[in-house]
Amino acid sequence: MANLPDSLYEDYSTSKLTLPSASSFAPTTTVVPFPDMDTIIQWINDLHNEIPFVSNSALQNLVTHRNTYEILPLLLWKSPCTMAMMLQEIVKIYPHISTPVHSREGKPPRAYNILLLFQCIAHYPETRGYFLKAEMPHYLFPLMDINLTDKPIECLRLGALGVLAHMLKAPIDGAAVRFLMDNGALRYCTKAIEIGSTESKTVSVFILNKILSTNEGLQYCCVLADRFFLIDGLLKNLLVYLSSMTNPSPSLFNLIAGCYAKLSQKPRAREGLWRFPPVMLLNGTFASLFAEDPDAVNYRKQLIRNMQSKVMK
C-alpha cells in the first residue's frame, strides 16, 4: 500500500511546501526549544489570554512542539473551553473566505495554526474518537470548498485536508473511513483536486487512496456508476495535469496509480475501466516516473491483470 511521505501531510510549513507559514504573518515570537510539561500546560492556558501577543506566542509554540509530546492532543481536548475557542477561530473566518482581500488581513494564518493542532488531535487514537463523535470535521469542510487559489487561502485548504489525512494515517481507523463516507467528504476533496495546488491535489488523492484501501471504502466508491465515473474522471484529469508539468510529482503519480489498482479489484469498476481505460497510465506517457517507482509499476501490472481478467470472463 502506498503511503504519502510524512513531509507532505504532516507538516505544511514553508520548509516543506512553497506556501507561506503562519509565522510569516504574525509578530515574531520566541520558540522555546525544550519545554517541560508545566510550560506546555501554561501555553494551553495562554491560548485564552486576551493579549494577542501572548495568545499567538503560545499557539506558535504549541504548533512547533505538536509532534514532540504525545499527550498534547489529550491535554488540548480535556482543557476547559479550549476546543470551543479553537473552533471559534475557524468559524470566524467563514464570512471572509470568499474574497482574496481577507488573505491580506493576517487572519487565516492563526486559523492555519489551529488546523495544525487539529491534525495531531485527529491522529492520536484516543482523541480521534472524541473528534469524530463531536463531528468536528464538519467545521473543516467549508475550508476545503473554497473557490480561491491565492496562497494564504490555499494554506487553509491544505491545513483542513491535512486533518482528514491524519484521521486516516496508518493503521487505518474504520470508524474514520465510515465517517468520511457517511458525510460526503470526497465531494469536498473534489474541489481541491480540481483547483487546488499540487500539494492539495496530492493530499486529496491520499485521502481517496486510504478510503479505497478498505473494503467498505472500495464498495462505497464503486457501488454507484456515477460515483465511480466521477472518481475516474478526477484521476484522469490529474494524469493530464501531471503530463503538462515540467517536473511531475512522483508522490501524486504513485497515489493515482495506486487508486486505479484498487478500483480494478471490483468487477463493476473493471467494466468501466475496460470500456474507458486510463490510457495515459498504460502507454509510455509516464515512462520516466515508472522507471523511478517500482511500486507504481506493480500497480500498473495489477491494473492490467485485473482488466484482462474481465476479458477472459
Side-chain angles (χ1 to χ4, degrees):
M1 181 188 304
N3 285 313
L4 195 64
D6 286 349
S7 61
L8 279 179
Y9 71 98
E10 287 202 353
D11 188 353
Y12 307 112
S13 63
T14 305
S15 62
K16 299 297 196 308
L17 303 176
T18 55
L19 293 172
S21 66
S23 58
S24 301
F25 299 84
T28 302
T29 59
T30 301
V31 176
V32 179
F34 303 107
D36 56 23
M37 189 55 60
D38 288 339
T39 302
I40 295 290
I41 293 173
Q42 183 59 52
W43 285 337
I44 294 175
N45 291 332
D46 284 345
L47 289 176
H48 302 272
N49 197 298
E50 295 182 0
I51 301 174
F53 178 80
V54 174
S55 177
N56 288 333
S57 178
L59 178 58
Q60 188 63 53
N61 274 291
L62 288 170
V63 166
T64 299
H65 296 286
R66 69 189 184 280
N67 295 323
T68 306
Y69 294 88
E70 190 175 273
I71 197 173
L72 177 59
L74 194 58
L75 290 175
L76 287 167
W77 190 270
K78 295 292 187 178
S79 173
C81 301
T82 296
M83 296 310 299
M85 179 277 297
M86 293 169 67
L87 279 179
Q88 287 173 0
E89 291 290 338
I90 299 298
V91 173
K92 279 194 300 187
I93 67 173
Y94 285 172
H96 309 286
I97 57 179
S98 62
T99 168
V101 173
H102 175 68
S103 67
R104 296 193 293 269
E105 294 177 353
K107 295 179 183 177
R110 180 171 170 83
Y112 174 68
N113 270 339
I114 295 293
L115 291 170
L116 292 180
L117 293 182
F118 277 156
Q119 288 177 15
C120 67
I121 291 170
H123 170 58
Y124 185 60
E126 186 170 352
T127 49
R128 184 194 304 138
Y130 297 142
F131 195 76
L132 291 172
K133 188 174 182 180
E135 300 191 348
M136 299 282 277
H138 283 290
Y139 293 94
L140 310 178
F141 291 154
L143 304 182
M144 297 162 56
D145 204 31
I146 303 173
N147 287 312
L148 302 173
T149 58
D150 61 311
K151 287 186 177 181
I153 293 295
E154 182 66 17
C155 275
L156 292 178
R157 190 195 330 270
L158 197 51
L161 287 165
V163 178
L164 303 192
H166 272 71
M167 287 170 52
L168 300 175
K169 189 178 177 183
I172 300 179
D173 185 339
V177 173
R178 286 190 292 275
F179 180 92
L180 295 181
M181 291 189 300
D182 292 343
N183 292 282
L186 286 180
R187 177 169 66 87
Y188 297 100
C189 290
T190 298
K191 179 62 66 67
I193 291 174
E194 290 176 341
I195 71 169
S197 65
T198 300
E199 291 80 8
S200 285
K201 295 179 192 297
T202 303
V203 179
S204 297
V205 181
F206 170 82
I207 293 168
L208 172 61
N209 187 287
K210 287 297 185 182
I211 291 175
L212 290 171
S213 297
T214 68
N215 290 331
E216 276 186 284
L218 185 58
Q219 175 69 12
Y220 172 83
C221 292
C222 297
V223 67
L224 299 176
D226 288 349
R227 191 176 292 160
F228 163 76
F229 282 114
L230 171 63
I231 293 171
D232 176 56
L234 290 171
L235 294 175
K236 285 175 178 172
N237 287 339
L238 285 172
L239 289 175
V240 174
Y241 171 78
L242 285 175
S243 69
S244 69
M245 299 175 70
T246 303
N247 297 303
S249 166
S251 297
L252 179 54
F253 178 72
N254 177 284
L255 288 164
I256 294 170
C259 285
Y260 270 117
K262 292 175 174 66
L263 286 169
S264 69
Q265 295 173 17
K266 279 291 184 180
R268 293 191 69 181
R270 283 200 294 271
E271 180 77 31
L273 292 172
W274 176 251
R275 293 185 178 185
F276 307 100
V279 176
M280 299 181 75
L281 201 61
L282 302 174
N283 61 21
T285 302
F286 298 106
S288 60
L289 287 175
F290 276 120
E292 299 174 0
D293 189 346
D295 288 336
V297 172
N298 289 333
Y299 291 142
R300 180 171 64 174
K301 288 179 179 178
Q302 183 180 347
L303 171 62
I304 293 172
R305 183 168 60 249
N306 290 339
M307 290 173 63
Q308 288 175 337
S309 70
K310 163 69 175 65
V311 178
M312 291 187 288
K313 292 179 181 179

